[in-house]
Amino acid sequence: MTTVRSTHYRLRARDRRPTAPVRGVDLVRDGDTWTVRSCGPAAPAPAVFDGQEAAVAAYEERVRAGAVVDGMPGWTRSDVPGLPLAGYGYTSAVRIGPGWRMVHAERSLALGGPGPAQLEFDAPPRTVEEVVEAAAAQAADLTVLTGREDWLSAAASAFGAEREDWLRSGAGLHLVPTAVRVTAVSRVSGHTPAGDDHRIVVERELPEVPPPTRQEIEEYAATEIDAAHYPAAGEPPVPHLPVRIGPEPLPGPHLHFPGHRRPDPDHPEHTLGDEAALYDGAHRIAWVPITAATADALARAQRILAAELAPWTDTMLRVEAAERLRPHSRQTPADQAAALTRAVAGLLPDAGRAPLPPLHRAWRHADDHFTRWRDVILQLLLTRWAPADSAGRDHLIRWSHHGTRAHLHTTSRIPMQAIHRALAARPGQGTRTETTGE
């Protein structure tokens, strides 16, 4: 009697998982008789065959049936190809300034099983080295996007000479990662004795991220609109809703264009705040602050900004109406959010047919100085366009901005490959690579 093939199970792992019901499978030959037998307290009865082909098939089937136990790899050593042979996990860290910060970790993974949730593979990875390489590439992509966002955010929050200081190449030292490190720990058969850890560490320097330009900072800050940016040539657009000038609201949806406010007599170097706003009766829905030197410049800016708001007006009105009903609703927050998504789905621009219309980040929600309508609408667009690979998803990617693109990958599960592809193929602009632009 000769053992021809054999698969073994590690009886107890270091996390003290229960003993496996089967701890090994053997393929045994005795003359012309072939036997598939299992060892262990719950082992099935031996199976006897007259031919080698049927016996091999039964052996491999039994080994595959025990390949995963309680979600973890079942075998330490096996001669059946394509099986998970050991568990592994990994962590990704980035170097910012002088220290390291962990940005992601996945544990209790199995080779041969589903790949790590945050990484992109065409097929399940077969080696830990594959995982490390993919994790390092992704960490580099995501940290460049989020680091650029942090740099812009810090610069946009500064004023005067302090903002100018953020234009230096070294100003983002404590914001933008300069290296990534991926550490993987596995118990892969063949690398080390059964049960021992096998550790792989990869560390890579990242390319230097250039400082943001003045224009990028001003666009990102988006706290107000300078009317001087709009040239005086040509007729401004005709408003898409009724317009009021005075303080008394009109019935139903309308625009409010307050008259120009003269410079503050106590501070002649400053101009008092002007604005344009969208109302629904007495309810203010959206508003944008404007800096204008003259009444004509203000009126022109108000009309141009109102035209930009037109494609999003119905969506804003529906969202705000739902918000007003929320305090009186008995639905759970999740049900309210789902109902709102369904209610506005037909009012969103069709990103599947054309690029999403622009919406300046300075447009703010209701009377809130901090919530931007662009961020509110992005959540609705994510529900509709993020789940499937489509032209709409590509348009959503281009409509987003620096840090949001990292969110599109980590939360909405849009592959980084899809993000890079969409940014590199903007219609009418040829092919280019862009990872951080607006």
Side-chain angles (χ1 to χ4, degrees), residues 82-96:
L83 293 183
L85 298 182
Y88 73 96
Y90 76 95
T91 60
S92 300
V94 296
R95 186 180 67 208
I96 300 179

mmCIF file with all atom_site columns, all heavy atoms in Angstrom, residues 82-96:
data_model
loop_
_atom_site.group_PDB
_atom_site.id
_atom_site.type_symbol
_atom_site.label_atom_id
_atom_site.label_alt_id
_atom_site.label_comp_id
_atom_site.label_asym_id
_atom_site.label_entity_id
_atom_site.label_seq_id
_atom_site.pdbx_PDB_ins_code
_atom_site.Cartn_x
_atom_site.Cartn_y
_atom_site.Cartn_z
_atom_site.occupancy
_atom_site.B_iso_or_equiv
_atom_site.pdbx_formal_charge
_atom_site.auth_seq_id
_atom_site.auth_comp_id
_atom_site.auth_asym_id
_atom_site.auth_atom_id
_atom_site.pdbx_PDB_model_num
ATOM 1   N N   . GLY A 1 82 ? -4.460 25.666 -7.227 1.00 0.00 ? 82 GLY A N   1
ATOM 2   C CA  . GLY A 1 82 ? -5.495 26.690 -7.148 1.00 0.00 ? 82 GLY A CA  1
ATOM 3   C C   . GLY A 1 82 ? -6.239 26.769 -5.836 1.00 0.00 ? 82 GLY A C   1
ATOM 4   O O   . GLY A 1 82 ? -7.322 27.342 -5.773 1.00 0.00 ? 82 GLY A O   1
ATOM 5   N N   . LEU A 1 83 ? -5.686 26.230 -4.766 1.00 0.00 ? 83 LEU A N   1
ATOM 6   C CA  . LEU A 1 83 ? -6.372 26.253 -3.471 1.00 0.00 ? 83 LEU A CA  1
ATOM 7   C C   . LEU A 1 83 ? -5.750 27.301 -2.549 1.00 0.00 ? 83 LEU A C   1
ATOM 8   O O   . LEU A 1 83 ? -4.555 27.571 -2.623 1.00 0.00 ? 83 LEU A O   1
ATOM 9   C CB  . LEU A 1 83 ? -6.275 24.890 -2.791 1.00 0.00 ? 83 LEU A CB  1
ATOM 10  C CG  . LEU A 1 83 ? -7.022 23.741 -3.444 1.00 0.00 ? 83 LEU A CG  1
ATOM 11  C CD1 . LEU A 1 83 ? -6.874 22.503 -2.579 1.00 0.00 ? 83 LEU A CD1 1
ATOM 12  C CD2 . LEU A 1 83 ? -8.484 24.072 -3.628 1.00 0.00 ? 83 LEU A CD2 1
ATOM 13  N N   . PRO A 1 84 ? -6.557 27.854 -1.650 1.00 0.00 ? 84 PRO A N   1
ATOM 14  C CA  . PRO A 1 84 ? -5.976 28.717 -0.621 1.00 0.00 ? 84 PRO A CA  1
ATOM 15  C C   . PRO A 1 84 ? -5.183 27.864 0.360  1.00 0.00 ? 84 PRO A C   1
ATOM 16  O O   . PRO A 1 84 ? -5.726 26.964 0.977  1.00 0.00 ? 84 PRO A O   1
ATOM 17  C CB  . PRO A 1 84 ? -7.211 29.350 0.035  1.00 0.00 ? 84 PRO A CB  1
ATOM 18  C CG  . PRO A 1 84 ? -8.320 28.394 -0.244 1.00 0.00 ? 84 PRO A CG  1
ATOM 19  C CD  . PRO A 1 84 ? -8.021 27.749 -1.553 1.00 0.00 ? 84 PRO A CD  1
ATOM 20  N N   . LEU A 1 85 ? -3.904 28.144 0.481  1.00 0.00 ? 85 LEU A N   1
ATOM 21  C CA  . LEU A 1 85 ? -3.046 27.333 1.334  1.00 0.00 ? 85 LEU A CA  1
ATOM 22  C C   . LEU A 1 85 ? -2.733 27.990 2.665  1.00 0.00 ? 85 LEU A C   1
ATOM 23  O O   . LEU A 1 85 ? -2.200 27.360 3.543  1.00 0.00 ? 85 LEU A O   1
ATOM 24  C CB  . LEU A 1 85 ? -1.731 27.026 0.607  1.00 0.00 ? 85 LEU A CB  1
ATOM 25  C CG  . LEU A 1 85 ? -1.870 26.215 -0.675 1.00 0.00 ? 85 LEU A CG  1
ATOM 26  C CD1 . LEU A 1 85 ? -0.501 25.937 -1.256 1.00 0.00 ? 85 LEU A CD1 1
ATOM 27  C CD2 . LEU A 1 85 ? -2.617 24.919 -0.407 1.00 0.00 ? 85 LEU A CD2 1
ATOM 28  N N   . ALA A 1 86 ? -2.985 29.288 2.798  1.00 0.00 ? 86 ALA A N   1
ATOM 29  C CA  . ALA A 1 86 ? -2.656 29.942 4.056  1.00 0.00 ? 86 ALA A CA  1
ATOM 30  C C   . ALA A 1 86 ? -3.343 31.287 4.139  1.00 0.00 ? 86 ALA A C   1
ATOM 31  O O   . ALA A 1 86 ? -3.688 31.884 3.128  1.00 0.00 ? 86 ALA A O   1
ATOM 32  C CB  . ALA A 1 86 ? -1.151 30.117 4.188  1.00 0.00 ? 86 ALA A CB  1
ATOM 33  N N   . GLY A 1 87 ? -3.542 31.744 5.340  1.00 0.00 ? 87 GLY A N   1
ATOM 34  C CA  . GLY A 1 87 ? -4.095 33.073 5.544  1.00 0.00 ? 87 GLY A CA  1
ATOM 35  C C   . GLY A 1 87 ? -3.007 34.128 5.476  1.00 0.00 ? 87 GLY A C   1
ATOM 36  O O   . GLY A 1 87 ? -1.832 33.847 5.669  1.00 0.00 ? 87 GLY A O   1
ATOM 37  N N   . TYR A 1 88 ? -3.418 35.351 5.189  1.00 0.00 ? 88 TYR A N   1
ATOM 38  C CA  . TYR A 1 88 ? -2.468 36.464 5.171  1.00 0.00 ? 88 TYR A CA  1
ATOM 39  C C   . TYR A 1 88 ? -3.220 37.754 5.428  1.00 0.00 ? 88 TYR A C   1
ATOM 40  O O   . TYR A 1 88 ? -4.452 37.814 5.370  1.00 0.00 ? 88 TYR A O   1
ATOM 41  C CB  . TYR A 1 88 ? -1.723 36.539 3.832  1.00 0.00 ? 88 TYR A CB  1
ATOM 42  C CG  . TYR A 1 88 ? -2.567 37.033 2.671  1.00 0.00 ? 88 TYR A CG  1
ATOM 43  C CD1 . TYR A 1 88 ? -2.553 38.370 2.295  1.00 0.00 ? 88 TYR A CD1 1
ATOM 44  C CD2 . TYR A 1 88 ? -3.399 36.166 1.965  1.00 0.00 ? 88 TYR A CD2 1
ATOM 45  C CE1 . TYR A 1 88 ? -3.319 38.834 1.242  1.00 0.00 ? 88 TYR A CE1 1
ATOM 46  C CE2 . TYR A 1 88 ? -4.169 36.613 0.909  1.00 0.00 ? 88 TYR A CE2 1
ATOM 47  C CZ  . TYR A 1 88 ? -4.133 37.942 0.553  1.00 0.00 ? 88 TYR A CZ  1
ATOM 48  O OH  . TYR A 1 88 ? -4.907 38.399 -0.483 1.00 0.00 ? 88 TYR A OH  1
ATOM 49  N N   . GLY A 1 89 ? -2.478 38.788 5.686  1.00 0.00 ? 89 GLY A N   1
ATOM 50  C CA  . GLY A 1 89 ? -3.046 40.128 5.848  1.00 0.00 ? 89 GLY A CA  1
ATOM 51  C C   . GLY A 1 89 ? -1.984 41.152 5.509  1.00 0.00 ? 89 GLY A C   1
ATOM 52  O O   . GLY A 1 89 ? -0.801 40.819 5.371  1.00 0.00 ? 89 GLY A O   1
ATOM 53  N N   . TYR A 1 90 ? -2.396 42.398 5.360  1.00 0.00 ? 90 TYR A N   1
ATOM 54  C CA  . TYR A 1 90 ? -1.421 43.435 5.025  1.00 0.00 ? 90 TYR A CA  1
ATOM 55  C C   . TYR A 1 90 ? -1.876 44.773 5.577  1.00 0.00 ? 90 TYR A C   1
ATOM 56  O O   . TYR A 1 90 ? -3.059 44.992 5.864  1.00 0.00 ? 90 TYR A O   1
ATOM 57  C CB  . TYR A 1 90 ? -1.218 43.539 3.511  1.00 0.00 ? 90 TYR A CB  1
ATOM 58  C CG  . TYR A 1 90 ? -2.342 44.235 2.775  1.00 0.00 ? 90 TYR A CG  1
ATOM 59  C CD1 . TYR A 1 90 ? -2.270 45.598 2.492  1.00 0.00 ? 90 TYR A CD1 1
ATOM 60  C CD2 . TYR A 1 90 ? -3.485 43.542 2.395  1.00 0.00 ? 90 TYR A CD2 1
ATOM 61  C CE1 . TYR A 1 90 ? -3.300 46.247 1.845  1.00 0.00 ? 90 TYR A CE1 1
ATOM 62  C CE2 . TYR A 1 90 ? -4.517 44.172 1.735  1.00 0.00 ? 90 TYR A CE2 1
ATOM 63  C CZ  . TYR A 1 90 ? -4.424 45.523 1.461  1.00 0.00 ? 90 TYR A CZ  1
ATOM 64  O OH  . TYR A 1 90 ? -5.451 46.169 0.822  1.00 0.00 ? 90 TYR A OH  1
ATOM 65  N N   . THR A 1 91 ? -0.929 45.673 5.734  1.00 0.00 ? 91 THR A N   1
ATOM 66  C CA  . THR A 1 91 ? -1.211 47.053 6.130  1.00 0.00 ? 91 THR A CA  1
ATOM 67  C C   . THR A 1 91 ? -0.486 47.991 5.180  1.00 0.00 ? 91 THR A C   1
ATOM 68  O O   . THR A 1 91 ? 0.601  47.677 4.690  1.00 0.00 ? 91 THR A O   1
ATOM 69  C CB  . THR A 1 91 ? -0.748 47.336 7.569  1.00 0.00 ? 91 THR A CB  1
ATOM 70  O OG1 . THR A 1 91 ? 0.663  47.116 7.659  1.00 0.00 ? 91 THR A OG1 1
ATOM 71  C CG2 . THR A 1 91 ? -1.478 46.459 8.568  1.00 0.00 ? 91 THR A CG2 1
ATOM 72  N N   . SER A 1 92 ? -1.094 49.137 4.911  1.00 0.00 ? 92 SER A N   1
ATOM 73  C CA  . SER A 1 92 ? -0.477 50.182 4.093  1.00 0.00 ? 92 SER A CA  1
ATOM 74  C C   . SER A 1 92 ? -0.275 51.412 4.966  1.00 0.00 ? 92 SER A C   1
ATOM 75  O O   . SER A 1 92 ? -1.179 51.796 5.715  1.00 0.00 ? 92 SER A O   1
ATOM 76  C CB  . SER A 1 92 ? -1.363 50.540 2.900  1.00 0.00 ? 92 SER A CB  1
ATOM 77  O OG  . SER A 1 92 ? -1.570 49.417 2.071  1.00 0.00 ? 92 SER A OG  1
ATOM 78  N N   . ALA A 1 93 ? 0.901  52.005 4.859  1.00 0.00 ? 93 ALA A N   1
ATOM 79  C CA  . ALA A 1 93 ? 1.213  53.207 5.622  1.00 0.00 ? 93 ALA A CA  1
ATOM 80  C C   . ALA A 1 93 ? 1.850  54.230 4.693  1.00 0.00 ? 93 ALA A C   1
ATOM 81  O O   . ALA A 1 93 ? 2.415  53.878 3.648  1.00 0.00 ? 93 ALA A O   1
ATOM 82  C CB  . ALA A 1 93 ? 2.151  52.886 6.781  1.00 0.00 ? 93 ALA A CB  1
ATOM 83  N N   . VAL A 1 94 ? 1.756  55.493 5.068  1.00 0.00 ? 94 VAL A N   1
ATOM 84  C CA  . VAL A 1 94 ? 2.378  56.564 4.288  1.00 0.00 ? 94 VAL A CA  1
ATOM 85  C C   . VAL A 1 94 ? 3.275  57.386 5.214  1.00 0.00 ? 94 VAL A C   1
ATOM 86  O O   . VAL A 1 94 ? 3.011  57.516 6.407  1.00 0.00 ? 94 VAL A O   1
ATOM 87  C CB  . VAL A 1 94 ? 1.334  57.479 3.626  1.00 0.00 ? 94 VAL A CB  1
ATOM 88  C CG1 . VAL A 1 94 ? 0.516  56.696 2.619  1.00 0.00 ? 94 VAL A CG1 1
ATOM 89  C CG2 . VAL A 1 94 ? 0.421  58.137 4.660  1.00 0.00 ? 94 VAL A CG2 1
ATOM 90  N N   . ARG A 1 95 ? 4.347  57.924 4.633  1.00 0.00 ? 95 ARG A N   1
ATOM 91  C CA  . ARG A 1 95 ? 5.239  58.803 5.388  1.00 0.00 ? 95 ARG A CA  1
ATOM 92  C C   . ARG A 1 95 ? 4.864  60.242 5.103  1.00 0.00 ? 95 ARG A C   1
ATOM 93  O O   . ARG A 1 95 ? 4.864  60.686 3.957  1.00 0.00 ? 95 ARG A O   1
ATOM 94  C CB  . ARG A 1 95 ? 6.693  58.545 4.989  1.00 0.00 ? 95 ARG A CB  1
ATOM 95  C CG  . ARG A 1 95 ? 7.704  59.337 5.849  1.00 0.00 ? 95 ARG A CG  1
ATOM 96  C CD  . ARG A 1 95 ? 9.122  59.033 5.410  1.00 0.00 ? 95 ARG A CD  1
ATOM 97  N NE  . ARG A 1 95 ? 9.382  59.555 4.067  1.00 0.00 ? 95 ARG A NE  1
ATOM 98  C CZ  . ARG A 1 95 ? 10.272 59.023 3.234  1.00 0.00 ? 95 ARG A CZ  1
ATOM 99  N NH1 . ARG A 1 95 ? 10.954 57.954 3.582  1.00 0.00 ? 95 ARG A NH1 1
ATOM 100 N NH2 . ARG A 1 95 ? 10.451 59.546 2.034  1.00 0.00 ? 95 ARG A NH2 1
ATOM 101 N N   . ILE A 1 96 ? 4.502  60.951 6.147  1.00 0.00 ? 96 ILE A N   1
ATOM 102 C CA  . ILE A 1 96 ? 4.179  62.371 6.050  1.00 0.00 ? 96 ILE A CA  1
ATOM 103 C C   . ILE A 1 96 ? 5.079  63.097 7.029  1.00 0.00 ? 96 ILE A C   1
ATOM 104 O O   . ILE A 1 96 ? 5.026  62.835 8.234  1.00 0.00 ? 96 ILE A O   1
ATOM 105 C CB  . ILE A 1 96 ? 2.700  62.645 6.367  1.00 0.00 ? 96 ILE A CB  1
ATOM 106 C CG1 . ILE A 1 96 ? 1.800  61.887 5.397  1.00 0.00 ? 96 ILE A CG1 1
ATOM 107 C CG2 . ILE A 1 96 ? 2.404  64.139 6.315  1.00 0.00 ? 96 ILE A CG2 1
ATOM 108 C CD1 . ILE A 1 96 ? 0.329  62.081 5.647  1.00 0.00 ? 96 ILE A CD1 1
#
